[in-house]
Amino acid sequence: ASVTILVSPQPVEATDDAFWDQFWADTATSVQDVFALVPAAEIRAVREESPSNLATLCYKAVEKLVQGAESGCHTEKERQIVLNCCRLLTRILPYIFEDPDWRGFFWSTVPGAGRGGGDEDDENARPLAESLLLAVADLLFCPDFTVQSHRRSTVDTAEDIHSIDSCEYIWEAGVGFAHSPQPNYIHDLNRTELLKLLLTCFSEAMYLPPSSDSSNTNPWVQFFCSTENRHALPLFTSLLNVVCAYDPVGYGIPYNHLLFSDYREPLVEEAAQVLIVTLDYDSSTSSSPTVDGTTTGTAMDDVDPPGPDNLFVNYLSRIHREEDFQFILKGVARLLSNPLVQTYLPNSAKKIQFHQELLVLFWKLCDFNKKFLFFVLKSSDVLDILVPILYFLNDARADQSRVGLMHIGVFILLLLSGERNFGVRLNKPYSVRVPMDIPVFTGTHADLLIIVFHKIITSGHQRLQPLFDCLLTIVVNVSPYLKSLSMVAANKLLHLLEAFSTTWFLFSAVQNHHLVFFLLEVFNNIIQYQFDGNSNLVYAVIRKRNVFHQLANLPTDTQSIQKGLQRKKKTPEPISRTNSQDGVSMEGSRPAAPAEPGTLKTSLVATPGIDKLTEKSQVSEDGTMRSLEPESSQPPSEGNPPSAVGDGEPWSGEASHPRRDRRRLSSASSSGQWTPTPDWVMSWKSKLPLQTIMRLLQVLVPQVEKICIDKGLTDESEILKFLQHGTLVGLLPVPHPILIRKYQANSGTAMWFRTYMWGVIYLRNVDPPIWYDTDVKLFEIQRV
């Protein structure tokens, strides 16, 4: 029936079942039909002109779901009614959420309606939202509808839905469940429709503007993931296992997906989306000491909060068995690698599209369960996550619509790089040869990481600039552990230093010099801690020694600063791509393409600066880390965009000037534009950590020159051989302590993840287009 019949001044009685039943009695509809039959304009018309009819329609649809859950949906007719109500609510809910006056509607109780009409019932009547969520949870474990029935007998002994233990009906083997049920595509389709409704319930978050106040939790998620939901554990486990067990190749036979339609994939996508939304939890505000799954085991235990109230977050943080970690990691790695498999065996496997949801899920796993993070880093399996992430970063670098994907990839690598094991694992030789649009090289995973980062910085689009700090922080974090860089990667690092230390770049923004400090720190770490295997880098430093001399002699007078800035006007190119000897790209690779004009994208909130995003730790002799006291935070200096780095000095020395002086050092002109001054340049130039490199050049350059003259050498290999056997023991300054900048949870990134995640979900749900053309407030929908 069309909802237009509801647009009448006369409210229809809730008891008129014959009238209401026409909305869900149809036998052959799909969710697409419902979207076509119920246009947005009609829903809005009912909402504005006959609000009581819209309220009754929602109430009656929820009532049907509750009845279906109570009865166990034994007949085909009941199942059809449940699915139709499910589709109708999925269609209508976004129009309830977009109107602030309606937002509380589902959280109110419906007085007297259908509850025997007596007042005494209203006291303990549940809000409509709670009834709806509990009914959906029950229906997700309904024998012969969404799970296999365990009974083999006739309908008489139909399982009472309230007596079944849903833990015996978990959808897939994996974490905490060993039995893999027979696949049943009808059950998969029914689960998918119910999960779509669940996701739509949770999407109220899209209709609230972004706020840094992490206390405003999503009431739908909060209730669904609370102890009120008796299926919370089996449902969490089902969602996680369905995602991690999915093999898009189809039972290991290439090209198998071409033979039969895959009913699992839509379920896996829906499960991944519901899972990441239920795990949307700001861990920086949680006082819970047990988020990493470790308990202290003291007498204090009963006083401590028992972990987050959100049971999904709680269960995720408490997974601890090695075989469970192995299952999750293998599953996520297999799915993330799927697009790479496409490149060297085209069409051999079904190409999945939900890699962004998987990256958010992997982030949540590492953020909420430290034992999982350590497990990932314990073996070289972490490289099975690293390579796909580098592939996505390289592939998306020119595409404005995939800025969010770039950020989450970099955030994950930042999180991993805070642990020593990650740097150590990068020394494994890289042999997988995934076709990527990068120069051909022979080397390790560290070389791959540096070459991809160089490509992002030199040939990504403008909007990636705020990520440069993060990219270089990752390289700094791993640098003390890199045993041997290839010549290609060594040249890339020096090319970055050359580009970032030009006067126009250093003088054109208040935080640009931070990038030079990061790179110098990389060179210092490698020279001090890994000199022996890194003759390629030492050779590259010697060849480009003029860059270091120019930095040491950087002019600081007003005239030179102005001249440097003039040069900028002539060179609009952000970073020179010349003299980067890019060489030939790998065979079979396609260049990174910009977005097609007109591609939809969603806006993102700014990310915190690197000083808010990370916390410095010093590595002691025995390899343990201790956190360094953060300097008191003060407002960032002028001319500093919020998404760029704040003014916390990103290098190891103590703060050069108290920050109030810094206002004086970089004068703001009347237009509010920041301009560099000699004092400002001096304030950081005096702290450039050049001593180690200058000492190295002082010792090695004369020796290398002598070899060239004596042997008439122009051949690199002889010089490299000399450098390989050379040593600087006792000649360099005392090694500095290793500083690692570890990611720290904060409400800024929590908000960023929320907008990113919902933006992905909004754009990925196009069939049917659940939220399209509704008044979303969490982000803006833009066209490239």
Side-chain angles (χ1 to χ4, degrees):
S2 161
V3 290
T4 359
I5 55 174
L6 294 175
V7 185
S8 73
Q10 207 47 48
V12 183
E13 283 301 317
T15 47
D16 184 352
D17 283 339
F19 175 82
W20 295 108
D21 284 349
Q22 57 187 337
F23 288 100
W24 30 83
D26 255 356
T27 45
T29 53
S30 67
V31 66
Q32 285 77 7
D33 295 340
V34 171
F35 272 67
L37 290 168
V38 183
E42 291 183 12
I43 302 173
R44 288 188 176 119
V46 179
R47 187 183 71 195
E48 303 311 320
E49 293 162 43
S50 318
S52 69
N53 283 347
L54 181 60
T56 310
L57 179 68
C58 291
Y59 168 70
K60 296 298 281 187
V62 173
E63 186 182 55
K64 284 292 173 200
L65 290 181
V66 172
Q67 286 168 4
E70 296 279 318
S71 72
C73 284
H74 294 300
T75 65
E76 194 47 54
K77 180 164 187 263
E78 283 178 284
R79 290 174 201 157
Q80 201 54 56
I81 288 175
V82 162
L83 290 171
N84 282 339
C85 290
C86 197
R87 293 158 185 160
L88 191 63
L89 285 167
T90 303
R91 180 59 170 145
I92 291 173
L93 273 167
Y95 298 91
I96 302 268
F97 294 152
E98 73 173 359
D99 185 335
D101 297 338
W102 274 84
R103 216 165 280 144
F105 167 70
F106 269 87
W107 294 97
S108 56
T109 49
V110 181
R115 291 182 192 266
D119 292 340
E120 68 283 289
D121 287 354
D122 291 346
E123 287 308 303
N124 42 24
R126 281 191 175 281
L128 205 49
E130 294 186 7
S131 305
L132 169 57
L133 291 170
L134 293 176
V136 171
D138 277 339
L139 288 165
L140 286 167
F141 291 98
C142 184
D144 291 325
F145 179 53
T146 50
V147 291
Q148 293 283 324
S149 172
H150 290 183
R151 301 267 169 92
R152 290 284 164 268
S153 50
T154 55
V155 184
D156 310 340
T157 57
E159 290 168 271
D160 174 15
I161 194 143
H162 293 287
S163 67
I164 71 168
D165 174 7
S166 43
C167 284
E168 294 171 14
Y169 290 87
I170 288 170
W171 301 349
E172 185 56 78
V175 176
F177 193 67
H179 168 66
S180 188
Q182 202 51 41
N184 179 321
Y185 80 91
I186 299 290
H187 293 175
D188 277 2
L189 292 174
N190 295 342
R191 291 165 177 170
T192 305
E193 298 232 32
L194 286 161
L195 290 178
K196 219 182 255 318
L197 172 57
L198 201 51
L199 195 60
T200 310
C201 291
F202 295 159
S203 71
E204 184 181 340
M206 282 197 211
Y207 297 90
L208 302 169
S211 88
S212 54
D213 175 19
S214 39
S215 61
N216 59 18
T217 43
N218 183 328
W220 296 83
V221 172
Q222 194 176 8
F223 179 79
F224 191 77
C225 297
S226 73
T227 46
E228 296 270 353
N229 177 1
R230 71 189 184 95
H231 303 291
L233 178 59
L235 188 60
F236 168 75
T237 315
S238 295
L239 296 172
L240 184 62
N241 291 353
V242 156
V243 172
C244 295
Y246 179 53
D247 183 359
V249 180
Y251 310 107
I253 311 163
Y255 305 102
N256 204 11
H257 70 285
L258 299 173
L259 307 178
F260 58 84
S261 177
D262 178 359
Y263 293 98
R264 205 28 57 122
E265 189 180 24
L267 173 65
V268 175
E269 290 207 1
E270 215 64 56
Q273 293 179 358
V274 168
L275 200 50
I276 60 177
V277 169
T278 52
L279 295 169
D280 176 22
Y281 177 81
D282 182 357
S283 60
S284 67
T285 57
S286 85
S287 56
S288 149
T290 53
V291 167
D292 66 346
T294 54
T295 39
T296 43
T298 62
M300 295 292 289
D301 274 357
D302 23 325
V303 196
D304 285 340
D309 295 336
N310 177 326
L311 290 179
F312 279 36
V313 174
N314 203 330
Y315 297 143
L316 183 79
S317 70
R318 291 188 359 222
I319 298 171
H320 60 275
R321 288 173 28 205
E322 294 260 317
E323 54 269 44
D324 290 343
F325 287 158
Q326 190 61 30
F327 164 75
I328 295 172
L329 180 57
K330 280 272 180 272
V332 173
R334 176 177 60 245
L335 292 169
L336 284 178
S337 309
N338 164 277
L340 287 60
V341 178
Q342 300 299 320
T343 49
Y344 40 86
L345 270 181
N347 300 327
S348 63
K350 182 166 183 170
K351 185 160 186 179
I352 62 157
Q353 303 294 336
F354 55 97
H355 48 273
Q356 299 193 85
E357 292 92 321
L358 285 165
L359 290 170
V360 175
L361 178 60
F362 182 75
W363 170 270
K364 300 276 179 202
L365 280 156
C366 292
D367 196 22
F368 295 155
N369 190 324
K370 290 295 170 261
K371 287 183 175 170
F372 176 75
L373 176 63
F374 299 142
F375 176 85
V376 169
L377 293 164
K378 205 171 71 176
S379 73
S380 52
D381 288 351
V382 65
L383 303 174
D384 298 336
I385 301 282
L386 169 75
V387 173
I389 289 179
L390 291 175
Y391 172 85
F392 292 129
L393 291 178
N394 188 56
D395 190 54
R397 68 177 193 266
D399 185 339
Q400 292 262 358
S401 70
R402 289 155 81 195
V403 178
L405 170 63
M406 297 292 296
H407 276 77
I408 187 167
V410 172
F411 283 160
I412 290 173
L413 298 183
L414 180 65
L415 180 71
L416 295 174
S417 76
E419 307 298 332
R420 171 183 179 272
N421 264 355
F422 181 64
V424 174
R425 298 282 161 240
L426 290 179
N427 290 308
K428 190 178 175 181
Y430 176 67
S431 50
V432 204
R433 297 299 160 249
V434 174
M436 282 164 81
D437 174 27
I438 53 171
V440 181
F441 71 98
T442 306
T444 65
H445 285 76
D447 294 307
L448 177 68
L449 178 131
I450 287 168
I451 291 166
V452 169
F453 283 10
H454 173 270
K455 201 80 171 168
I456 295 167
I457 290 171
T458 57
S459 63
H461 54 80
Q462 284 286 305
R463 295 206 30 219
L464 298 181
Q465 281 217 350
L467 278 177
F468 290 1
D469 292 288
C470 273
L471 292 168
L472 292 187
T473 298
I474 294 164
V475 181
V476 173
N477 281 349
V478 301
S479 60
Y481 311 111
L482 304 183
K483 292 195 174 352
S484 167
L485 286 183
S486 69
M487 192 58 95
V488 178
N491 284 333
K492 297 296 175 212
L493 286 175
L494 277 139
H495 176 243
L496 288 179
L497 182 69
E498 217 173 348
F500 289 148
S501 57
T502 59
T503 47
W504 75 258
F505 185 78
L506 284 174
F507 298 156
S508 60
V510 70
Q511 71 283 347
N512 281 357
H513 62 278
H514 292 184
L515 300 172
V516 170
F517 276 83
F518 282 138
L519 284 164
L520 291 176
E521 200 175 330
V522 171
F523 298 136
N524 288 339
N525 280 343
I526 293 178
I527 292 166
Q528 287 281 18
Y529 291 99
Q530 298 290 348
F531 179 80
D532 286 353
N534 273 299
S535 49
N536 287 330
L537 183 74
V538 173
Y539 179 64
V541 167
I542 291 172
R543 276 193 36 219
K544 293 281 185 188
R545 54 189 179 276
N546 62 321
V547 180
F548 299 97
H549 290 304
Q550 280 165 4
L551 264 177
N553 300 316
L554 189 73
T556 55
D557 57 290
T558 314
Q559 199 181 353
S560 307
I561 293 174
Q562 286 314 311
K563 212 163 92 181
L565 289 172
Q566 288 310 311
R567 208 168 301 165
K568 178 184 181 185
K569 299 196 173 77
K570 296 193 199 95
T571 12
E573 192 64 40
I575 283 174
S576 90
R577 298 186 190 171
T578 50
N579 60 26
S580 154
Q581 312 104 12
D582 239 13
V584 191
S585 274
M586 295 172 80
E587 198 178 334
S589 66
R590 293 191 318 267
E596 294 286 319
T599 306
L600 287 180
K601 68 186 179 83
T602 53
S603 63
L604 290 162
V605 292
T607 52
I610 196 76
D611 54 333
K612 299 277 184 299
L613 208 54
T614 56
E615 168 182 79
K616 287 188 211 146
S617 298
Q618 194 168 309
V619 181
S620 320
E621 305 273 305
D622 58 358
T624 55
M625 291 195 194
R626 63 182 184 84
S627 173
L628 297 179
E629 285 304 303
E631 295 153 17
S632 61
S633 56
Q634 289 192 335
S637 67
E638 55 279 296
N640 205 1
S643 59
V645 146
D647 213 33
E649 303 294 359
W651 56 87
S652 44
E654 60 292 281
S656 56
H657 295 266
R659 292 189 188 170
R660 55 177 184 279
D661 295 356
R662 212 155 294 140
R663 294 215 174 270
R664 189 172 48 69
L665 292 174
S666 46
S667 64
S669 60
S670 52
S671 66
Q673 273 283 277
W674 170 85
T675 54
T677 63
D679 283 349
W680 171 77
V681 179
M682 280 304 295
S683 72
W684 54 262
K685 179 190 165 180
S686 59
K687 302 221 310 289
L688 284 166
L690 287 165
Q691 304 81 334
T692 302
I693 293 169
M694 288 309 190
R695 184 76 185 119
L696 171 133
L697 292 173
Q698 195 185 349
V699 174
L700 291 179
V701 170
Q703 297 182 3
V704 170
E705 284 176 340
K706 186 171 187 310
I707 295 176
C708 294
I709 295 164
D710 291 356
K711 302 197 176 171
L713 280 184
T714 48
D715 180 18
E716 282 186 2
S717 60
E718 285 291 325
I719 300 169
L720 284 168
K721 203 175 292 174
F722 162 73
L723 291 174
Q724 267 158 14
H725 299 299
T727 174
L728 290 176
V729 175
L731 296 170
L732 293 177
V734 179
H736 54 283
I738 295 174
L739 269 190
I740 301 291
R741 293 174 185 80
K742 288 170 81 92
Y743 167 79
Q744 57 170 352
N746 60 75
S747 46
T749 36
M751 195 62 231
W752 184 89
F753 271 98
R754 183 171 304 155
T755 51
Y756 170 60
M757 169 184 79
W758 279 114
V760 169
I761 291 171
Y762 177 97
L763 292 173
R764 301 258 299 104
N765 282 276
V766 286
D767 184 26
I770 301 180
W771 299 282
Y772 190 70
D773 264 352
T774 59
D775 190 12
V776 172
K777 295 275 194 298
L778 184 61
F779 45 76
E780 290 170 26
I781 293 92
Q782 302 159 336
R783 283 192 187 276
V784 173

